[in-house]
Amino acid sequence: MNRKLSIGAYQFFSIIYLFEMGSATLVGLASGAMQDAWISVLIALATGCLLFCVYIKLFDLYPELPFTRYVQSILGKFAGKLLAMAYILYFIYLGARVLRDFEELLVITLYNASSLISIGILFMFLCMYAVFKGFEVFGRVCEFLFFVIIFIIVSIIGFEVIAGLIKSDNLRPVLETGWKTVIKEAYPLTVTFPFGEMIVFTMILPYLKKPDYAWKVGIPGLIFAGLLLTLETMFNICILGANTVVRATYPILTAISYINIADFIQRLDSVVVIVIVVGGFIKITVFFFCAIIGAADLFKVKKSDTLTYPIAVIIVICSVWMAPDYLEHYKEGFDIVPYYLHIPLQIIIPTVLLVIAIIQKKAKTKTKENAE
């Protein structure tokens, strides 16, 4: 894992798509906006693209350094190392949150007799295997999984249409309660989850084969994932109705359970669970990998593989201990984390860092010109 990595354009696109779809497909995004939830998702997508532009601009200023390294250049060694450590812990925490999401999903849907810790351990073994094989191998796996998941999604949409489940009247009336509710659902929750989580890609951008892939591939990948999430939100509302989407634990599984074509094609929710779990594996592995390379860079660990075991153990333990039950976990993720973690670490700090970095660059340029 210490060797020079090289990520191609299609691999980068696939990783972004699978990462964004990861745990976002589980919950009903912006469900508080009722039938206008899809508008909130589109607004959040536009803002998420602007945020990603901030991350890419920082990368342009320091094209060969990961985020945890160039914060030290911007803020100085002491403050920079403290902030880098905060982001490493943040990536570990987000990995643990996503792991808890899928532990709960599997216990509720497929493995009722299993414990959260046992599923978490098995899940992390898979993520550890992916990390040990290397991020390039992981990228090639994402290339294959991208086609498989797109095929399944298109098939599911086709089955929903054939089964006559799509009722567009459920999307009306548009803006029944005005823009206030729509904006409130978009900011900050839908912006920070899942679009703001792209902050983790500041650790991956230096490994692109060509730096311009960040703009040419990263932004389209984010837009593509965001549009599919918008489409999923619309289909959930069309099939279930806004009131049911708000009450459902996993709206997408409830919607797909309605599919019944000639009493032959039915009970597809188990297939969709597998697809969603694949997305969760991708998302956890990205957070896991970035936490490892960040910690290895910060603490000058020559062989970063040695950090795989301790960080994996921390993620599993945190996933189980962070909340006593699913309701508490859900409440924490929607009422506390966005305001106290996501907004500062995804929006405020990167924006301030970019402003400081631009000012420093202009000051250096001016000093150089005066010296000449």
Side-chain angles (χ1 to χ4, degrees):
M1 213 165 72
N2 290 79
R3 66 184 184 279
K4 179 65 177 175
L5 301 179
S6 183
I7 303 172
Y10 177 53
Q11 290 176 348
F12 187 48
F13 185 93
S14 301
I15 293 170
I16 288 177
Y17 167 75
L18 294 171
F19 176 88
E20 284 295 296
M21 296 297 286
S23 54
T25 53
L26 278 178
V27 296
L29 294 178
S31 57
M34 304 301 284
Q35 67 269 20
D36 297 321
W38 63 275
I39 302 177
S40 296
V41 177
L42 281 178
I43 293 172
L45 170 61
T47 308
C49 288
L50 292 177
L51 268 180
F52 195 43
C53 288
V54 172
Y55 307 154
I56 296 174
K57 186 60 181 177
L58 280 169
F59 164 68
D60 286 342
L61 295 173
Y62 302 92
E64 296 182 357
L65 302 178
F67 182 83
T68 51
R69 180 85 63 82
Y70 62 68
V71 293
Q72 298 176 46
S73 300
I74 297 172
L75 300 177
K77 283 192 174 182
F78 181 73
K81 285 185 177 181
L82 286 178
L83 186 58
M85 188 64 202
Y87 272 93
I88 292 167
L89 294 175
Y90 180 58
F91 297 152
I92 291 173
Y93 176 73
L94 290 182
R97 284 204 66 83
V98 178
L99 181 59
R100 178 60 178 265
D101 288 336
F102 287 91
E103 289 170 352
E104 295 283 2
L105 170 69
L106 292 173
V107 168
I108 292 172
T109 57
L110 300 180
Y111 304 106
N112 307 95
S114 299
S115 63
L116 294 178
I117 188 72
S118 61
I119 292 176
I121 290 171
L122 292 174
F123 221 105
M124 281 310 299
F125 271 130
L126 182 61
C127 296
M128 289 168 64
Y129 179 75
V131 168
F132 278 125
K133 296 300 290 184
F135 203 76
E136 289 174 337
V137 175
F138 175 73
R140 290 194 290 271
V141 170
C142 289
E143 286 180 318
F144 171 74
L145 291 175
F146 174 79
F147 275 116
V148 173
I149 290 178
I150 288 295
F151 173 76
I152 293 175
I153 289 174
V154 171
S155 300
I156 293 294
I157 291 174
F159 291 147
E160 289 173 340
V161 172
I162 294 170
L165 299 177
I166 310 299
K167 299 175 183 177
S168 59
D169 286 344
N170 286 338
L171 292 172
R172 293 197 287 257
V174 178
L175 296 175
E176 182 181 16
T177 57
W179 283 99
K180 184 178 179 181
T181 305
V182 172
I183 299 297
K184 184 180 178 181
E185 287 297 310
Y187 301 103
L189 187 56
T190 312
V191 171
T192 55
F193 171 79
F195 303 111
E197 291 177 331
M198 290 293 292
I199 182 69
V200 75
F201 280 80
T202 55
M203 302 295 295
I204 297 175
L205 292 176
Y207 301 115
L208 295 175
K209 283 184 179 178
K210 296 181 180 179
D212 60 354
Y213 286 168
W215 293 103
K216 294 181 179 178
V217 179
I219 297 295
L222 183 59
I223 292 173
F224 181 71
L227 291 178
L228 280 186
L229 285 172
T230 305
L231 188 64
E232 180 208 327
T233 303
M234 294 178 71
F235 271 95
N236 287 343
I237 296 170
C238 287
I239 295 170
L240 301 176
N243 290 323
T244 305
V245 169
V246 172
R247 294 194 304 268
T249 304
Y250 302 121
I252 187 172
L253 298 183
T254 306
I256 288 165
S257 68
Y258 287 5
I259 295 175
N260 186 354
I261 301 175
D263 290 328
F264 177 69
I265 299 177
Q266 55 183 327
R267 300 184 181 278
L268 296 176
D269 41 325
S270 297
V271 176
V272 175
V273 167
I274 296 172
V275 172
I276 294 174
V277 166
V278 168
F281 156 70
I282 302 298
K283 194 164 188 174
I284 295 167
T285 303
V286 170
F287 282 127
F288 185 32
F289 175 81
C290 292
I292 291 172
I293 59 176
D297 177 68
L298 182 63
F299 298 110
K300 308 300 180 185
V301 178
K302 292 183 178 179
K303 193 174 182 182
S304 55
D305 288 346
T306 57
L307 297 174
T308 302
Y309 294 106
I311 292 179
V313 171
I314 293 171
I315 290 176
V316 172
I317 293 174
C318 287
S319 72
V320 178
W321 285 358
M322 67 171 51
D325 53 47
Y326 179 72
L327 291 177
E328 192 66 30
H329 170 68
Y330 187 88
K331 183 179 179 181
E332 180 183 305
F334 282 82
D335 297 339
I336 299 174
V337 174
Y339 299 95
Y340 294 98
L341 284 180
H342 290 341
I343 291 178
L345 294 172
Q346 293 178 4
I347 301 174
I348 297 175
I349 292 175
T351 304
V352 171
L353 287 174
L354 179 60
V355 172
I356 294 173
I358 291 174
I359 293 173
Q360 288 177 341
K361 185 178 180 181
K362 287 184 177 179
K364 288 179 181 178
T365 303
K366 190 174 181 179
T367 303
K368 187 176 180 181
E369 289 175 353
N370 290 337
E372 292 176 353

